[in-house]
Structures are given as C-alpha cells and as structure tokens.
Amino acid sequence: MTQGATRSQTPSGPQKKAGQAPALLLRDIDKAFDGKTALSGASFRLDWGEVHALVGENGAGKSTIMNVATGVYAPDHGEVIVDGRDVPLRSPVDAVAAGIGMVHQHFRLVGRFTVAENVALALGGIGRRIGIGKAAQLVKRKSAELGFALDPEARVERISVAEQQRAEIIKVLLLGAGIMILDEPTAVLTQQEAEALLSMARRLAQAGHAVVLITHKLQEVADHCDRITVMAQGRTVLDAAPMAQTSLAQVTRKAFGEVKEQEPVQPGTLGGELLRLENLRVRHGAVTLDGLNLSLRAGEILGIAGVGGNGQSELVACLNGLLRPLDGKIFLADEDLTAASPAKRRKAGLRVVPADRFDSALVRDMTLSENLALTGLESGRFGPWWGLSRRSMKRNAENSLKEFNVLGGGPETRASVLSGGNAQKVLLARELAAGTRVVVAHSPVRGLDLRSARAVLNLLVASARQGAACLLISEDLDEILRMCGSAAVLNRGRLSPPLSGADLNPARLGELMVGHA
Amino acid sequence: MTDLVLAWLTVFPGYTVPLLLASLGLVISERAGVLNLCTEGLMAVGAMTGALMALAGYDPLLAVACGALAGAALSLVFGVATVVFRADHTLAGLATVALGLGITGVVGRPYVQKPFDGLPRLSDTVWGADLPRLVGQQNILLPLTVLLLLAVWGWLFRTHSGLRLRAVGEDPAAADVVGIDIQLTQLGAVLASGVLAGLAGAYLSVAAAHVWVEGMVAGRGWVAVAIVIFAGWRPWGVLLGAGLFGGAEAAMLRLQTLGLDFPIYLGAMLPYALTLLVFCIACARRRGENAGPAALGKAYLRQDKH
Ligand SMILES: Nc1ncnc2c1ncn2[C@@H]1O[C@H](COP(=O)(O)OP(=O)(O)OP(=O)(O)O)[C@@H](O)[C@H]1O
Ligand SMILES: [Mg+2]
C-alpha cells in the first residue's frame, strides 16, 4: 500500500484503478457464536475507489462479517482475499498490516488517553514507534488534509462523539488503511456532521480508497454510495449491485420482505392535561436547563427536537427521578411528582425510555423474563416476596414478546444477546404495559433498522391512541415531523414554545435548533 | 526535640520502603487492569524465603533476591488463575493471600524467632564508613527503591511499552485491535508486581528485622492496596502515600520507646484508622474523577459482545 503523492489537495491513499483485483473479497463465510449462527455462506465484494453500502436489518450480520474482514472474529469457514491475495487474518493487527481499517460501532479508543496517545499506541502496534509529539503532528497534518479541526492533545473522553469519530478515522488512515470500514457512523451524528462525514468518505474514494458504509438510513445510501450489498439473516441477498440500477424499494424488499407502513398519526381528540413542567431548572455538569415549561395532554405526541447535548439527557434524568431539579415543578395530572422517587413516578404512570437501552433501563445479564418482570414485582403478579413465581414470569414474558413481536430470543435469553431493535422492543413492552399514562421516549429508534424503527414508532402511536401522553425526544427531524402534531426545540437548555400546523416545518425547526436565542 | 526528629528521620525510610515497593508493584499490575489483592500473601512469602536463605548462610543480597523470586512465583499462580483462566480477580486475590499465609505458616514454623545477620547498614560496609549518620543507618535497598520508583514512572509514562500496558488496563478491546497481546501484558504486569511485593517482604525480614516471625507483614499488604487508590494509581502519589503511612508508623514506635503512656492497641490501630481517613479525604476530593483504570478487574474476551 503506497502512500499517494498528491498529499496537498486530496487525502492521500492507494492509487488504484478500476479493473484491478477487488480490494476485498469475502467468500462463503460461516460464523456461529456458541452454536448460534450469525453468518451462513455470506459473501462480500468491495472494489477500489468506491463507497459501498452494506445494509440489512438488526442482527443480519453486517458488523459480524466486517469483524471477520478485520480479523476480530475468526470465521468458521470461508476465505478472505485482500487485494487479490489470500491473507490469513488471525488478529486485528494482521488486518491492519493488510491495509484494512475499521471504525467500529463502539469506538476503539482509550478514553483516558489523548488523541495523540491513541495514535501513537496504534502505530506502535504495527511496529512504528513514534513519540507522542510526533503523533500529534501527524494528527494535525491529517486533519488539515481532511478539512476538519481536531485537537491532538485533547483527552478522548472529553471530546464530542463526532470528534471521537474523526480521531478514529484519522487513526485508521495513519495506519495506512486503503480499505476503510465505517460501521453505522452516522447513527451518532447530527445531520450536518453526517453530511461532512459522507462527503469525506466520497473524497477518500476518489483518492483511490475503498470505503464500506454500514447504515440504516437509506437516503444516505442513495445519495452517497456507488454500490450496495444487502444482508438478511446471515446471508447476502443482494450482492454488490450498482446503485444506479437499484431502487430503494427493491432494497427494502430484499432486506426485510414486506414492511408495514408507518401508521398514520391522526390528530385525534386530545384529552385533558397529563404532564406539566413548570419553570424547571436543572444543573448537571456543563448543562443547565433554564426554566422549562411544558404541557402534555392525553393522546398527544409532542416532539422535542434539538441537537444532542443541549439538555435532552438531563431532562430525561429529571423526569426519571434520577436528577433533582434546582427549582420548578413536575405534575402528573395535578399530582406533584417533583420530589417523588422513581418508584412512585412509575406507580403514577410515568414511564421513561432512555436513549441507552442498557443504561438505567434493561439489565444486560438478566434474562428477558426477569427484565420484563422487574418493574411489576411490587404488584404481586409474580408471587409474594418470599416466593417468586418463575412460571408467571415466563408466561408474562411469552405474552409480551409475542405482542411486541420480539425476534431473536425467548424468555430465557439474556438481554445482551438481542440486537438493538429487539432490545428496544423489549424495553417498550415493559414500559408500555398496563397503567402507563405518560411515556417519555428519548431517541427510541436510534440504531434501529427500518422495520424495527417503524414497529417501535407504531407502538408509541398505539399507546397515544389509547390515551397515553407521549413525549418524543429526538435529533431526527424527519421522525419528529412524521410522528408529532406539535414540537418544541431544545437549544442550550431552553425550550422554545411548541410549533404546530404550518409553523411545524424543517426550516423553522432548523432555525430554532442552531439559533442563539 | 531535634533528637526525636532526627531519630524519626533515621527510621522513617525503613518503614516507607516496603510500602513503597509493594505499592509500586500494585500500580503496575492494576494499570494493566488486574485487580491485585494478593500483596499481603506475596509479602509474607517473600519475607519468609528471604529469612530462610539468610539463615542458611547465603549472602543477604542473594536472600533478598530469592524473596523477590518467591513473590514472583506465587504471583504467577494468581496470574494464571486470573489472566489465563479468567477467574474473578477479587476471589483469586484473597485465595492467594490465604495460600501465601498458609505456606509461610507451615514451611516457616521451625525458623521462627531465629535471628540472623541480614543486610548490613551502609555505614557497616567497607566503603560506607564515613557516610553521615542519617544515610549511614540505611541499607542498600533504599537507593535501589528510589531507582525503581524512577524507572517505573518513566516506563509507564515515557515509553511505548508503558503506553501499551496502560491501554490494556483502560480499554482492552481498543488495545486488542492495535495488536497488543492482552494476556501476555497482564501476566507480565502481575509477575512484576510479584517481584516487587516479594522484595518488600524480604526487606521486612532480611533488611529490617533480621528475624522471621509469623505474621510479621502485619497488614502492610493491605495498606499498600489502600495507598495505590489514594495515589490515584500514580507512582509519585505512591511515594507520598507510602511516606505518609511509613512516617506515621515510625513516629508511633518512636513515641512508644520514649515511654509515652500510649495504649498499645491504639498504636496498632493507627495505620488502619489513617487508611480510612485518607480514603475519605481522597474520595471527597476526587468525587469519582480519576477512579482508576477503566477496565480494572474485568475479564476480557475478544468475542464477547461489547
Ligand atoms: N460476540 C457475539 N457473541 C454472540 N452473538 C453475537 C456476537 N456478535 C454478534 N452476535 C449475534 O450475531 C448476529 C449478527 O450480529 P451483528 O452484530 O453482526 O448484526 P448487525 O447486522 O451488525 O446488526 P445491527 O444493525 O444491530 O448492528 C446477531 O444475532 C447477534 O446477536
Ligand atoms: Mg452492527
């Protein structure tokens, strides 16, 4: 892998022409985890100079096949051919040496280290031992080349997710990767950041790299990718089809079979006020919520738009009872819950679905039946305190899993094994159970595939139709516009008055999201 | 009064060095992500082995080296259990302490309370005769310890292999993808901590007491565990912590020899009380910031779902 000479204008990279051996060829890959098949006979073909989309539902095996290509998982069967050569990939370093780099769904950066230290560490792994100062210089030069700012001396845990991602990309490029695999890179980015990332991917491809883009957002695929591979249930169902000759409808059909349409959100008749926030003030770390007022009626789905980090998590924690407000009041149908414990709030019918399914929501290492029973123990449904009834827990789980169409696990499956979408459905099954009056959902479909996303949103619509009040906190404007009759914008800890009707449009929301008001 | 302070200054290093050595070892092992609670046992084995060798008539320096090796050998048991077989770090650590104390109880019984010459003071060596009293009263392990402190600090924070070791303790998955052998690194770190703990133990018998008594480690291994936390896993903090605890212990004994009427139990309790106090202060000051290597005590398997 030679470094290109055109260092100044375009990102340097391998100068490969079309018509040569494919950059990466995976043939007939099988992989099972503890007897559970993740890949069976999957294949993948990537050429130099292209941006190649890899799509498929949650748990289809996209991350797994790319982890095989980067030596993280050893395949049970099949071959990996890099640039025409059959290279044994026994460990991640072998893949790095072969010029394959991956930006994982969960970044592989040491949080306590600075960006430069992370780069020095990675380069040391392939035998290029350089000092931290030299690494910092390399980072600076590379980020200037790619056209974005990144402070090499910053500690990784202190910088934003987008910056961490840039650090990962720079690290991978400095390792000399000609093949760059991006695993759901835009799931954690705002729209502008995503645009910047995708056009950078384009430039890399133009400079001769080969880029794989794993994503659930089909619009990105249509706008930025040259070819597409679709996976379903561990198999490749559409193999490297040119984007120009492929319609998104075709992709959806290949990936999911038939997809239920998003249920229409009818304005319906709104009931009385259920949730009221009065002049809520919260301080937590660098974020301050400044005098939030909000009123939510039965049957309403109110959106809260805004770029992440403007107080969303604090608002959720405050409603959850995990964060005490400095000032202000929380009412649920005239019952003052401001100082109530999480248990009391739950009893009153306030249910919260936080952004991270495994952070103050599901317990990773407990089974689904245990997870689903966890919030109903007090009710005595699962036996008295001295005799937990496994049978009724199991029955409850079976019913919930069926009702919410959870795939990939039964009552005795551990929660951590589920794909993101299915874990989210389990959580909703628990939180939308009987007695729910107000649902607060924070980015409920982040990282979910099209079908799961629709299913989850449909569940929220259904609960609103049954008279619950929903608060949908999301960074995705499309989602807000599709789901909500009215929406407010959270910006720097302040909540705009709700917009509805003709005022509720992307331009107006966008203005409020970036405004300095 | 000056006499008292001078006397305290003379014995102060003797109490600080073993704590410093043991804590340094712990810093290495825990920076690599292995929660190491076996120091008390390793020190006991080091102390006993050193004493046995000295009693057998070997050169005291050789005896000290054997103590260090014995510590390493026992730490290997712990290392294999935790790193290779992924046993729970806390349980394996406690089991190793029990093992170490058990071994010393059985093997060392015939040698209890038999004095030997041990490591000479610097002033008693041929070339150290006219050193000033304060320095002359120390032994050769003091300068060695200072060198070790510098070496560990430089290694952890100024070299590539130090960076790699810390990466393993912070985020094994990230370390793995850059090609670091997690198990080898952790095993090496555990061994290093075993050598240092064994050295600390041998110091107690061969350099300080010149005798072996069962139970002579007397909780210093646990104090070392506390020092490391207090120090925020940093070598210089360890120096401060070891100085604090060693100094307090030395002062206690000085005051007792002065004939101050001081309940002996109160004196014996002081290290623990001080540990508790220091902990509270350290925690209040830090508030969870800087709470040790992120992957401390967690087993890592590449195929685990993250
Ligand atoms: N380390 C692992 N141990 C056990 N099972 C695993 C492991 N990694 C993946 N799986 C399983 O393999 C299947 C494929 O998972 P994979 O992560 O590749 O899906 P994906 O297509 O990347 O999904 P997503 O869109 O949610 O990221 C899933 O059923 C998953 O539960
Ligand atoms: Mg994935």
Side-chain angles (χ1 to χ4, degrees):
Chain A
M1 219 107 320
T2 47
Q3 292 280 305
T6 50
R7 179 149 269 172
S8 45
Q9 324 82 326
T10 48
S12 54
Q15 303 296 301
K16 299 273 178 182
K17 313 252 160 9
Q20 281 179 312
L24 180 65
L25 192 57
L26 296 158
R27 261 207 296 251
D28 226 5
I29 307 282
D30 291 347
K31 175 74 191 170
F33 294 103
D34 309 321
K36 193 167 151 266
T37 308
L39 295 175
S40 63
S43 58
F44 185 76
R45 181 199 159 104
L46 174 71
D47 280 321
W48 295 108
E50 68 169 350
V51 180
H52 193 127
L54 179 55
V55 302
E57 62 183 326
N58 294 120
K62 305 180 297 293
S63 297
T64 305
I65 196 171
M66 287 303 132
N67 275 316
V68 167
T70 49
V72 177
Y73 297 156
D76 300 331
H77 174 265
E79 52 185 353
V80 181
I81 296 166
V82 185
D83 201 19
R85 276 165 303 132
D86 191 352
V87 282
L89 299 176
R90 267 180 240 97
S91 75
V93 213
D94 290 346
V96 170
I100 307 174
M102 177 155 170
V103 176
H104 290 265
Q105 225 166 343
H106 308 281
F107 301 145
R108 301 289 158 83
L109 294 167
V110 181
R112 297 267 175 78
F113 287 10
T114 65
V115 174
E117 280 174 331
N118 269 291
V119 166
L121 183 73
L123 287 174
I126 53 166
R128 276 181 60 198
R129 309 204 155 200
I130 57 168
I132 310 291
K134 183 86 203 313
Q137 268 174 21
L138 288 177
V139 171
K140 262 207 189 105
R141 193 180 316 147
K142 202 67 177 179
S143 55
E145 204 175 281
L146 295 174
F148 52 62
L150 183 64
D151 176 10
E153 319 290 349
R155 273 217 286 177
V156 167
E157 63 189 0
R158 296 273 167 80
I159 60 182
S160 72
V161 179
E163 287 169 313
Q164 291 179 1
Q165 190 176 60
R166 291 170 191 168
E168 275 277 40
I169 291 171
I170 287 189
K171 186 181 92 179
V172 166
L173 287 175
L174 286 174
L175 284 169
I179 299 170
M180 163 92 80
I181 301 163
L182 304 169
D183 196 351
E184 294 189 34
T186 55
V188 293
L189 300 182
T190 66
Q191 242 140 350
Q192 288 94 330
E193 288 166 344
E195 279 305 316
L197 175 82
L198 292 168
S199 55
M200 189 209 67
R202 267 256 69 89
R203 288 200 305 277
L204 284 175
Q206 273 155 14
H209 286 79
V211 182
V212 179
L213 176 71
I214 302 180
T215 182
H216 290 299
K217 301 181 183 165
L218 293 182
Q219 202 51 51
E220 292 173 3
V221 176
D223 293 347
H224 296 275
C225 298
D226 303 307
R227 288 196 301 163
I228 180 167
T229 294
V230 179
M231 292 185 68
Q233 283 153 24
R235 287 169 215 280
T236 309
V237 290
L238 185 64
D239 199 352
M243 232 18 247
Q245 295 151 34
T246 317
S247 73
L248 290 185
Q250 201 179 340
V251 170
T252 323
R253 211 170 327 110
K254 283 276 184 200
F256 306 106
E258 289 311 312
V259 180
K260 247 196 245 155
E261 268 311 304
Q262 171 85 57
E263 284 184 29
V265 188
Q266 294 135 346
T269 44
L270 300 187
E273 182 183 74
L274 271 183
L275 181 73
R276 187 168 77 245
L277 307 184
E278 278 177 13
N279 199 27
L280 203 62
R281 291 204 309 124
V282 180
R283 182 166 305 140
H284 182 243
V287 183
T288 315
L289 289 184
D290 209 0
L292 243 64
N293 288 299
L294 184 147
S295 159
L296 192 60
R297 299 167 63 186
E300 183 180 8
I301 303 181
L302 176 69
I304 294 194
V307 179
N310 274 298
Q312 285 90 341
S313 311
E314 287 71 20
L315 175 59
V316 170
C318 202
L319 289 169
N320 222 345
L322 298 177
L323 205 62
R324 233 346 108 71
L326 293 177
D327 197 9
K329 295 248 173 268
I330 302 172
F331 288 102
L332 198 157
D334 292 327
E335 185 183 352
D336 186 350
L337 291 180
T338 314
S341 67
K344 192 141 173 248
R345 291 170 196 231
R346 179 173 287 283
K347 211 178 250 161
L350 176 61
R351 307 287 158 82
V352 176
V353 179
D356 185 342
R357 300 176 265 276
F358 290 109
D359 185 22
S360 55
L362 296 179
V363 184
R364 226 176 250 279
D365 288 325
M366 282 178 24
T367 65
L368 296 185
S369 75
E370 287 168 335
N371 265 301
L372 284 165
L374 212 50
T375 55
L377 292 176
E378 272 173 43
S379 69
R381 270 199 302 147
F382 306 111
W385 61 265
W386 42 266
L388 196 59
S389 161
R390 291 255 148 207
R391 265 238 314 286
S392 57
M393 277 167 64
K394 184 154 176 239
R395 204 166 333 112
N396 169 60
E398 274 164 356
N399 289 340
S400 302
L401 298 183
K402 195 145 121 237
E403 189 187 336
F404 286 79
N405 194 24
V406 176
L407 306 172
E412 299 311 319
T413 313
R414 276 193 310 140
S416 62
V417 172
L418 289 188
S419 73
N422 286 312
Q424 187 73 312
K425 283 193 248 173
V426 172
L427 181 58
L428 281 170
R430 189 174 86 185
E431 300 306 333
L432 298 185
T436 301
R437 300 172 77 193
V438 176
V439 191
V440 178
H442 187 190
S443 299
V445 302
R446 179 186 289 171
L448 300 200
D449 65 46
L450 189 73
R451 185 166 58 179
S452 307
R454 286 206 182 149
V456 162
L457 293 179
N458 283 343
L459 290 172
L460 286 179
V461 173
S463 78
R465 216 176 272 151
Q466 282 164 19
C470 292
L471 193 61
L472 176 64
I473 304 173
S474 173
E475 295 180 40
D476 188 339
L477 283 190
D478 289 339
E479 189 182 319
I480 297 255
L481 291 171
R482 224 169 332 111
M483 291 284 295
C484 305
S486 56
V489 173
L490 190 58
N491 183 10
R492 293 165 186 240
R494 286 170 191 243
L495 195 65
S496 74
L499 307 173
S500 57
D503 276 345
L504 185 56
N505 59 56
R508 186 82 191 93
L509 285 174
E511 235 169 73
L512 289 169
M513 276 162 68
V514 295
H516 287 240
Chain B
M1 188 64 198
T2 32
D3 272 0
L4 194 66
V5 171
L6 211 62
W8 176 76
L9 273 179
T10 335
V11 292
F12 160 71
Y15 288 95
T16 302
V17 164
L19 291 177
L20 185 53
L21 285 170
S23 319
L24 268 184
L26 282 177
V27 168
I28 297 174
S29 143
E30 301 199 347
R31 280 280 183 177
V34 183
L35 177 65
N36 193 331
L37 296 180
C38 48
T39 308
E40 181 83 5
L42 303 181
M43 283 178 76
V45 168
M48 183 201 70
T49 310
L52 258 56
M53 296 299 285
L55 277 171
Y58 289 101
D59 184 83
L61 269 179
L62 184 65
V64 168
C66 286
L69 277 184
L74 186 57
S75 75
L76 192 62
V77 175
F78 169 74
V80 168
T82 50
V83 177
V84 181
F85 294 107
R86 300 192 167 82
D88 181 82
H89 293 195
T90 310
L91 283 181
L94 296 179
T96 311
V97 172
L99 189 63
L101 296 179
I103 292 174
T104 54
V106 174
V107 180
R109 176 145 305 149
Y111 307 96
V112 170
Q113 297 284 17
K114 295 200 173 130
F116 49 84
D117 280 347
L119 212 58
R121 300 190 169 130
L122 287 178
S123 54
D124 295 340
T125 56
V126 277
W127 43 270
D130 18 85
L131 284 171
R133 203 171 94 86
L134 210 59
V135 182
Q137 288 294 309
Q138 311 308 327
N139 60 59
I140 184 77
L141 289 183
L142 177 64
L144 182 73
T145 303
V146 174
L147 283 182
L148 272 172
L149 176 67
L150 284 169
V152 169
W153 171 78
W155 173 49
L156 281 180
F157 295 99
R158 289 287 178 274
T159 70
H160 260 266
S161 64
L163 187 72
R164 292 153 74 89
L165 180 129
R166 287 186 292 129
V168 170
E170 290 291 346
D171 190 341
D176 193 19
V177 293
V178 298
I180 298 170
D181 190 326
I182 311 286
Q183 297 199 341
L184 208 62
T185 309
Q186 293 191 327
L187 213 51
V190 169
L191 270 181
S193 81
V195 168
L196 287 170
L199 207 57
Y203 185 96
L204 292 177
S205 62
V206 182
H210 295 197
V211 69
W212 154 251
V213 194
E214 204 184 328
M216 75 185 299
V217 179
R220 288 187 181 83
W222 298 116
V223 173
V225 172
I227 287 176
V228 172
I229 299 170
F230 160 75
W233 289 265
R234 276 184 295 263
W236 295 114
V238 161
L239 178 64
L240 186 70
L244 204 65
F245 281 97
E249 211 183 336
M252 227 37 245
L253 286 166
R254 278 294 103 182
L255 291 178
Q256 273 171 17
T257 49
L258 270 186
L260 237 63
D261 193 18
F262 213 79
I264 183 137
Y265 293 112
L266 207 62
M269 207 185 69
L270 190 79
Y272 302 101
L274 201 60
T275 310
L276 214 60
L277 183 71
V278 158
F279 255 123
C280 295
I281 295 172
C283 290
R285 214 189 44 196
R286 277 206 287 269
R287 299 238 179 117
E289 240 314 87
N290 213 339
L296 182 58
K298 294 192 190 120
Y300 170 72
L301 245 187
R302 190 181 287 168
Q303 294 216 335
D304 276 353
K305 214 167 175 210
H306 304 296

